[in-house]
Structures are given as structure tokens and as C-alpha cells.
Amino acid sequence: MNAAASPTMRGTITVPPAQVEQFARDGHTVVRGLATPDEVESFRPGIESAVRRATGHHRPLESRDTYGKAFLQVTNLCSADDTVRGFTF
């Protein structure tokens, strides 16, 4: 998918101070409603494609070990793919 064809996701939300503190403390937080289901679905094919290219995992799930079934770890994918960058930033 072309990143230009994706929703812009430029709306704003207010995050409660406790959640900001949680992020500062833990380095992550869940922001419910940040992206709509339609926005997520529009980005999904491009993100999945970028992950496949970056990981080289083309084996069926059934043929992977337990860790390989649970995780596909890709670092800095947003710096290598425009669609992922559009979703992330």
C-alpha cells in the first residue's frame, strides 16, 4: 500500500496525566482509541508486508519453534518503510 493513500491520523486526543506518568515510568502505555479500526485496517497490509521483507520469515506458522510462533521481532522498521512510518509517527 502507498503511504500517501493511508489515512493521515492527524487527530488529537488528551492523555490523562496518570497515563503520561506511566509512560515516563515504564516506557510504554496503551492509548485506547488512538487509531480507529478503519485506520488500523488500512495500514495492516503495508505493515505486514514490511515485516515480511524485514524478517525473512516466510515459513508457515506450524513449522516455527515456540518463540518464532509468538514473536517476529523487527527493530526500527519505521525508518525503513514509509507505510510503517506513517502509522508510527
Side-chain angles (χ1 to χ4, degrees), residues 9-56:
M9 295 177 50
R10 296 202 186 271
T12 59
I13 62 166
T14 301
V15 179
Q19 197 167 7
V20 173
E21 291 169 12
Q22 177 192 19
F23 179 80
R25 182 186 66 243
D26 301 337
H28 59 87
T29 190
V30 174
V31 182
R32 304 265 182 229
L34 185 62
T36 68
D38 287 342
E39 288 170 330
V40 172
E41 284 306 311
S42 72
F43 281 94
R44 183 182 307 275
I47 293 171
E48 288 175 343
S49 177
V51 169
R52 278 192 301 277
R53 286 190 312 273
T55 63

